[in-house]
């Protein structure tokens, strides 16, 4: 329980710290998060995107509309069901997300600067263990 509590706290603080760079993208956190799902998960229906982001479809509709207005995502009719739409990222959207990701990683790299190789090795192994645990629970 103590390890879970400390990991939870550290993860939240680390992400908040890294997210400070996201203001440079001029897109809100909800849009960047949805964009990330599209970049790394590929095109999906509005319902799938809403489920991935754990929001209601009307909320995701507003987010997607904003992404479309900004030229970051495009909306196409579903080939199998005209009532459904498929959302995909545009080249501009992918560039914006990759630039935001690069800035966050640079900030995190600065946080790690000064750690010795043994400490970096521990963090490398911890990241591997966490990723493995998540894969076991997500499937």
């Amino acid at each position: 329980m103590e390890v879970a509590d400390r990991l939870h706290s550290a993860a939240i603080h680390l992400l908040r710290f890294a997210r400070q760079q996201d203001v440079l993208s001029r897109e809100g956190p909800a849009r960047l998060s949805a964009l990330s799902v599209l970049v790394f998960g590929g095109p999906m229906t509005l319902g799938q995107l809403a489920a991935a982001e754990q929001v209601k479809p009307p909320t995701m509709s507003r987010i997607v509309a904003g992404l479309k207005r900004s030229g970051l995502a495009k909306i196409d009719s579903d080939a199998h069901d005209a009532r459904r739409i498929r959302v995909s990222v545009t080249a501009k959207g992918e560039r914006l997300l990759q630039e935001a990701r690069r800035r966050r990683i640079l900030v995190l790299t600065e946080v790690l600067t000064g750690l010795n190789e043994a400490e970096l090795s521990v963090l490398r192994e911890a990241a591997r263990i966490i990723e493995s645990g998540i894969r076991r629970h997500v499937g």
Side-chain angles (χ1 to χ4, degrees), residues 70-113:
S70 297
L72 304 174
K74 63 180 182 168
I75 300 171
D76 296 305
S77 297
D78 188 283
H80 304 293
D81 185 346
R83 296 168 297 174
R84 293 193 328 185
I85 62 166
R86 292 194 63 76
V87 184
S88 58
V89 69
T90 63
K92 178 182 176 182
E94 182 151 0
R95 274 192 313 275
L96 182 129
L97 182 78
Q98 294 296 356
E99 288 167 7
R101 183 173 191 262
R102 183 187 55 77
R103 283 191 297 269
R104 287 190 302 273
I105 289 170
L106 284 173
V107 166
L108 295 176
T109 300
E110 289 177 23
V111 169
L112 302 177
T113 298

Side-chain angles (χ1 to χ4, degrees), residues 4-76:
D5 183 47
R6 292 191 61 198
L7 279 172
H8 178 265
S9 181
I12 287 173
H13 286 95
L14 189 63
L15 289 174
R16 281 184 187 147
F17 182 73
R19 265 195 342 221
Q20 292 173 3
Q21 297 299 307
D22 287 349
V23 298
L24 297 173
S25 72
R26 295 194 168 115
E27 294 294 332
R31 284 188 189 182
L32 285 175
S33 185
L35 202 56
S36 177
V37 170
L38 293 170
V39 167
F40 296 106
M44 56 187 66
T45 67
L46 187 70
Q48 291 168 324
L49 186 55
E53 288 293 278
Q54 299 176 342
V55 299
K56 302 274 187 223
T59 300
M60 187 51 65
S61 290
R62 288 189 294 276
I63 292 169
V64 167
L67 290 171
K68 183 180 177 191
R69 275 192 310 275
S70 297
L72 304 174
K74 63 180 182 168
I75 300 171
D76 296 305

Side-chain angles (χ1 to χ4, degrees), residues 124-139:
R124 215 175 276 114
E125 182 63 8
R128 186 196 65 74
I129 291 167
I130 291 167
E131 290 166 348
S132 175
I134 290 170
R135 277 193 298 275
R136 277 195 314 274
H137 283 84
V138 173

